[in-house]
Amino acid sequence: MQFDGDLVEIRFGAGLSPLQPRPASAEQMLTRLQGADEMAQRFPVSSLEDAAAGVREFRRLSKDRKRQEGQRGYEAADKAFKSYRRAHNLARFGWHGQRLLRHVHARDGFRERLALFWADHFTAQGKSPAMRVLAAPYAESVIRPHVAGRFEDMLIAAATSPLMLHYLDQNRSAGPGSRVAKRRKRLSGLNENLAREVLELHTLGAGGPYSQADVRQLAELFTGLTVSREAAFIYRPGMAEPGAETVLGESYGGGKAELEQVLSALRDLARHPATAQHIAWKLAVHFTSDTPEPALISHLSARYQESGGALLPVYAALLEHPAAWETDLRNVKPPFDFVASACRALAVPEARIAALRPGQINRLLLAPLTPMGQRWEFSGGPDGWPEEDGTWITPQALAARLRWAMAVPRRLAQPLPDPRVFASAALGRFANERVQFAAGAAETQAEAVGLILSSPAFQRR
Amino acid sequence: MQLTRRSLLTRSALLGCSLAASPLVTPVSFAAAPWDTRLVVIILRGGMDALDVVQPYGDPEFAGLRQSLSGGPAAGAGDLDGFYALHPALAPLQPLWRQGELGFVQAVSTPYRDRRSHFDGQDLLEAGTAGLGEASGGWLNRLLQQMPGVEARTAFAIGQERMLLLEGAAPVSQWAPGAGLAMSPQAERLAGLLMEEDPLFHNALNEALELTRQDMSLGGLDGAEDDAGAGMMDLMKAPKGGAHTGIAAYAADQLRGDTRVAAFSINGWDTHFRQASGLKAALGRLAETILELRQGVGPDIWGRTAVAAVTEFGRTARENGTGGTDHGTGGAMLLAGGAIRGGRVLGRWPGLAEADLYDRRDLKPTGDVRSYLAWLLHGVSGAGTAALQANVFPGLDMGGDPGLLL
């Protein structure tokens, strides 16, 4: 295998940048991945814990406003709530700008890609106005610290995070025989949503070796995982179903209800061979093509099993396999990656993003993702975004990409680069003859830049 | 290949010719539509709770299974026939029921069993096969492959979402209302050149340009666009809430012309928690969508329109501990339109006693949703039952004709 700096930055990284040298070797990429998360330090995003404090304040002010209804203090309470709600929602735009800047400036673009990949694998979304902004803080605290670690640690972090528990309705699930249920509280019963998605999406995969009985048993085992009034994770033994549960033939608990039993089941699921296969397949699809080579999948799966789910060796297996180095560009970049890699190619200055008001960030960089088919942080379901190229390049979504590429770059990079220079900055050795021709034949500089970004050579990786 | 401006001009002239000759851009008014009746298929993603939508309040077990989600006329549902009642959020559709323009099939499902995954369930519903991975593409596309005179405008997938049921070898159109693309003629040509060798991009671009022209002629977009900057940004606003009515209005526009099939989806049926509010909102969107379609096509075409709304599976018969329901098996399908023989709830009722449930938890399916769809396609398009059973829904036994259409 010939290490190819242009290809590696496009396929495994955040795209080519005029500011950053290409990685020199796979070893260098893996070493950087083990080092400090430079971009998270330079462009911070709130932690889940800090953001949860915001959720509490949101709820407090909302409750206060309700209490004041019809009374003299209502106007002030209403004003306080609305101004807080505005700031709360606008924070999301600021975090979006920070995450884009990470893509622009990253030396280890592979980390940015992996952070996106795993946040999508463990999709979690807020379903109430107070919780709706938490997706970025969730990715920051739950996903990012584990991308170069062990899969089981990431699984446990996700399955016990307040956002996931809220998203998949686990927070209210109580065992029918639990103490809480015996007190006949309203809404005290089992909900199997999280258990099902952990098996189907997060670990074994939809075709995996589990049955409805396993779903049910895991749901019973999960009872007690919930969210405190302070919007933090808490294990409440009083909600846990008494007795042992059997998941995939393995028995858990039986004595006093304890969190450790749940974690132990999650670890076993993480180490299951079907999980290795499922994760290997997902990585191969994401980084190579919609129909990855079976040899690559088995190579990754074998490494996953050898490493006990340690992820760095799996990434090393990916970077060493010839199937990952096919030189034709295949996968279509999803909308976020398209916009982020365009910003990277344009070398959008930090000061430019900093100068944008939150509403402008939304208008230029976030809202346009929706007509491209990706309402960012609100995928249609817990399975996250699709990988198939055809789902992204529909007439309406391609039109949205072209509209963005023609209109927005001039607002982000002033002056726009010379199109011929930009073609090779953005595409390196993939700037083919058609791209170079279009760069020179367009009527305006903005159209030329837009056309370069619209070329299949830029939109595929 | 050496490209020069001269060769570009020649190439784009060629491209221009081939575009004009392509079925995508043949003026629709010259085409002969392959049949007359309009079909709208709505995929209800998330697993709609049949028992809450078409409430079998006459079943002695029903009240016991649904304690906080109480149902029946006593809880505000509209009585349909003394046994079933309609969820109050569908009350705007009650007049259609009375006119025989609304009907249901209860206790149906695809052959998908036991795993209860939305995504596999939807894939199977849209593939129309007995098992997963048995065919690529979807049943609605395979119907088009059977019919003479089909062109890209015959069938439309509308909205941003993927519609597997229309994927396949037959040409179809897809678009989201208001998604237009305005570029200078030179930029259009160069974009065409850039994408020419990549069929995925090239086809999507040609469609986008053509549909933009159509949108503009419908007055959907402001065509005058000289400062690309400002105008383009206006086009880039994300669709607001109420997208479902925009989609329905766009579908109606197409169906008034030569389009015969429109498919889109309505999401929000996955009601694990506090179903009462979640289902109410989703049913409200469904009712608005149907009424918008009816108004949009006008009385004449509505009389020749059949709407079918289907979901990947039903939900548990018993309410769960959080005021919701979990993934189940048997579900309901909704039929509407002036072409429908409505005012009836079809399907054999299996009963709700524990022993009658599927797996002791779900409504037991007593019919295959595909056979109702197949009879619907037969009635709408005239496709033969042999072709429907062999090709459109491979291996399906359609059984007796339920007489869905007038």
Side-chain angles (χ1 to χ4, degrees):
Chain A
M1 173 206 96
Q2 182 73 45
F3 187 85
D4 177 337
D6 280 3
L7 181 62
V8 82
E9 196 80 310
I10 291 171
R11 180 165 297 156
F12 299 103
L16 297 180
S17 159
L19 306 176
Q20 304 292 340
R22 323 292 192 239
S25 65
E27 292 70 43
Q28 188 196 58
M29 292 167 71
L30 295 167
T31 308
R32 280 186 180 156
L33 210 45
Q34 293 167 76
D37 187 342
E38 295 167 0
M39 288 300 105
Q41 289 162 7
R42 181 164 161 200
F43 303 108
V45 167
S46 276
S47 70
L48 192 53
E49 203 177 27
D50 289 347
V55 170
R56 288 199 294 279
E57 183 65 3
F58 185 105
R59 289 183 180 150
R60 189 185 69 78
L61 290 169
S62 161
K63 211 183 268 173
D64 193 42
R65 171 174 173 252
K66 202 158 189 181
R67 210 175 26 231
Q68 299 282 352
E69 229 165 289
Q71 296 184 34
R72 207 179 311 152
Y74 178 76
E75 215 162 288
D78 182 57
K79 207 171 151 201
F81 170 69
K82 283 187 176 149
S83 105
Y84 191 82
R85 180 175 63 187
R86 190 177 147 75
H88 186 72
N89 290 333
L90 288 184
R92 187 168 161 255
F93 302 151
W95 297 331
H96 189 70
Q98 297 289 77
R99 291 169 87 183
L100 285 172
L101 282 170
R102 293 175 181 181
H103 280 258
V104 174
H105 294 284
R107 283 198 307 152
D108 53 352
F110 193 33
R111 185 195 299 268
E112 300 307 318
R113 291 285 305 285
L114 289 167
L116 290 174
F117 172 82
W118 290 114
D120 186 64
H121 181 80
F122 290 109
T123 294
Q125 298 161 15
K127 297 193 292 187
S128 65
M131 300 286 280
R132 213 156 277 156
V133 303
L134 292 185
Y138 163 83
E140 199 63 16
S141 296
V142 173
I143 302 300
R144 219 167 156 100
H146 298 292
V147 294
R150 300 176 68 77
F151 178 76
E152 61 194 50
D153 295 331
M154 193 164 18
L155 171 66
I156 286 171
T160 59
S161 77
L163 188 63
M164 184 70 86
L165 296 171
H166 153 87
Y167 178 48
L168 293 178
D169 309 304
Q170 180 62 38
N171 52 334
R172 306 295 294 272
S173 181
S178 66
R179 285 208 303 277
V180 165
K182 288 210 177 101
R183 273 187 272 128
R184 301 296 304 163
K185 268 206 188 160
R186 200 175 67 89
L187 298 185
S188 52
L190 201 65
N191 187 309
E192 57 186 51
N193 204 11
L194 176 69
R196 171 179 305 284
E197 303 307 12
V198 161
L199 291 171
E200 176 183 332
L201 299 175
H202 303 153
T203 62
L204 307 177
Y210 65 91
S211 65
Q212 172 60 34
D214 293 313
V215 174
R216 189 81 188 171
Q217 289 283 295
L218 189 60
E220 289 187 5
L221 183 61
F222 278 175
T223 50
L225 299 181
T226 187
V227 179
S228 72
R229 209 182 286 274
E230 287 70 43
F233 167 67
I234 184 171
Y235 183 72
R236 291 193 202 279
M239 291 174 83
E241 178 67 7
E245 282 88 19
T246 303
V247 181
L248 302 178
E250 209 51 56
S251 174
Y252 300 92
K256 203 164 136 253
E258 276 164 350
L259 175 61
E260 188 46 45
Q261 298 147 8
V262 177
L263 304 188
S264 149
L266 287 169
R267 275 187 217 106
D268 288 346
L269 286 171
R271 290 175 202 166
H272 197 283
T275 300
Q277 181 73 18
H278 181 54
I279 299 301
W281 172 77
K282 278 200 79 168
L283 280 166
V285 167
H286 184 78
F287 285 102
T288 70
S289 96
D290 290 357
T291 50
E293 283 189 27
L296 175 61
I297 301 173
S298 27
H299 184 64
L300 296 178
S301 166
R303 189 66 58 85
Y304 182 103
Q305 284 181 261
E306 278 162 38
S307 74
L311 293 170
L312 269 170
V314 180
Y315 305 149
L318 175 68
L319 294 177
E320 80 200 10
H321 199 278
W325 293 90
E326 298 286 339
T327 52
D328 57 319
L329 300 177
R330 283 166 297 183
N331 278 339
V332 170
K333 293 173 185 172
F336 178 93
D337 301 56
F338 168 65
V339 166
S341 62
C343 291
R344 183 171 169 92
L346 289 161
V348 175
E350 191 176 344
R352 180 67 198 128
I353 300 282
L356 294 174
R357 292 187 305 275
Q360 290 175 306
I361 293 185
N362 183 40
R363 210 155 48 83
L364 295 172
L365 295 164
L366 181 57
L369 301 178
T370 301
M372 294 181 202
Q374 192 174 37
R375 189 175 163 228
W376 186 240
E377 295 177 335
F378 297 92
S379 68
D383 59 335
W385 298 109
E387 289 281 358
E388 293 89 348
D389 301 339
T391 56
W392 298 122
I393 304 305
T394 62
Q396 61 273 34
L398 179 63
R401 287 180 185 230
L402 277 155
R403 290 201 308 259
W404 186 88
M406 299 281 174
V408 176
R410 69 172 100 169
R411 296 173 188 227
L412 299 175
Q414 286 146 345
L416 280 173
D418 179 305
R420 285 155 302 181
V421 175
F422 182 65
S424 57
L427 294 167
R429 67 177 184 78
F430 295 93
N432 59 35
E433 213 177 342
R434 283 168 191 267
V435 173
Q436 285 165 5
F437 178 81
E443 285 172 343
T444 68
Q445 214 175 2
E447 279 188 357
V449 167
L451 286 163
I452 292 162
L453 295 175
S454 305
S455 65
F458 185 79
Q459 301 205 43
R460 290 187 182 274
R461 62 189 179 195
Chain B
M1 176 186 62
Q2 186 61 43
L3 279 170
T4 61
R5 183 174 287 267
R6 183 189 172 83
S7 78
L8 170 72
L9 292 174
T10 323
R11 301 181 69 81
S12 47
L14 283 172
L15 180 70
C17 290
S18 63
L19 248 184
S22 124
L24 299 181
V25 273
T26 308
V28 282
S29 48
F30 296 130
W35 66 79
D36 190 45
T37 306
R38 273 64 165 181
L39 173 66
V40 180
V41 179
I42 308 174
I43 304 284
L44 308 174
R45 294 186 197 279
M48 182 181 74
D49 182 14
L51 297 180
D52 209 356
V53 176
V54 188
Q55 302 165 354
Y57 75 93
D59 189 295
E61 305 289 334
F62 179 67
L65 291 167
R66 299 299 177 102
Q67 302 207 329
S68 82
L69 292 171
S70 54
D79 183 40
L80 292 175
D81 58 4
F83 183 82
Y84 291 113
L86 195 59
H87 191 286
L90 287 182
L93 300 184
Q94 279 273 4
L96 273 66
W97 171 269
R98 286 193 289 275
Q99 289 153 31
E101 294 182 350
L102 176 72
F104 296 90
V105 187
Q106 202 27 307
V108 285
S109 76
T110 68
Y112 183 63
R113 291 290 182 276
D114 301 333
R115 305 309 296 260
R116 305 181 176 93
S117 149
H118 290 304
F119 322 112
D120 285 351
Q122 286 167 24
D123 281 357
L124 199 70
L125 172 68
E126 296 186 66
T129 51
L132 281 165
E134 289 178 12
S136 63
W139 53 267
L140 206 39
N141 191 285
R142 289 197 299 276
L143 169 78
L144 300 169
Q145 294 170 37
Q146 304 299 312
M147 307 301 295
V150 165
E151 54 165 62
R153 290 293 177 274
T154 304
F156 251 95
I158 304 172
Q160 297 291 356
E161 214 138 332
R162 180 181 185 191
M163 300 301 291
L164 173 65
L165 85 169
L166 267 175
E167 289 179 12
V172 299
S173 297
Q174 48 176 327
W175 194 240
L181 178 63
M183 286 192 290
S184 72
Q186 170 77 337
E188 265 185 39
R189 275 192 295 273
L190 290 168
L193 175 82
L194 282 170
M195 298 184 187
E196 200 174 21
E197 286 184 325
D198 190 318
L200 176 65
F201 280 83
H202 198 230
N203 293 339
L205 177 69
N206 286 345
E207 271 282 88
L209 291 171
E210 173 56 22
L211 287 161
T212 299
R213 280 178 202 114
Q214 195 186 326
D215 260 5
M216 285 176 175
S217 66
L218 288 172
L221 273 180
D222 186 1
E225 196 63 73
D226 42 9
D227 174 24
M232 287 281 208
M233 288 311 295
D234 287 342
L235 295 178
M236 219 175 301
K237 284 178 193 141
K240 291 259 160 30
H244 58 285
T245 49
I247 287 174
Y250 188 83
D253 265 344
Q254 302 304 324
L255 293 166
R256 279 206 314 269
D258 278 358
T259 293
R260 290 295 174 266
V261 174
F264 52 88
S265 53
I266 299 179
N267 302 346
W269 305 92
D270 194 17
T271 48
H272 287 275
F273 170 68
R274 255 193 236 157
Q275 176 165 313
S277 65
L279 192 63
K280 183 176 163 204
L283 287 171
R285 289 194 294 275
L286 178 59
E288 284 172 13
T289 298
I290 290 170
L291 294 176
E292 178 72 44
L293 279 169
R294 183 171 74 150
Q295 198 201 320
V297 295
D300 178 38
I301 290 178
W302 181 250
R304 291 175 276 150
T305 295
V307 181
V310 289
T311 188
E312 67 264 24
F313 44 61
R315 308 189 72 83
T316 47
R318 205 169 285 105
E319 185 179 320
N320 72 15
T322 57
T325 51
D326 289 310
H327 300 184
T329 309
M333 109 188 238
L334 173 148
L335 296 163
I340 289 287
R341 189 191 299 272
R344 305 177 298 165
V345 179
L346 298 167
R348 189 170 68 74
W349 180 243
L352 292 174
E354 183 155 347
D356 295 326
L357 297 178
Y358 180 81
D359 210 7
R360 305 184 91 77
R361 58 173 260 152
D362 305 338
L363 178 63
K364 184 187 287 173
T366 57
D368 190 326
V369 70
R370 297 176 306 156
S371 62
Y372 289 92
L373 289 168
W375 283 113
L376 190 66
L377 298 186
H378 173 70
V380 162
S381 73
T385 55
L388 285 164
Q389 295 176 121
N391 303 321
V392 178
F393 297 103
L396 175 71
D397 176 2
M398 284 169 68
D401 186 353
L404 301 178
L405 297 181
L406 286 173

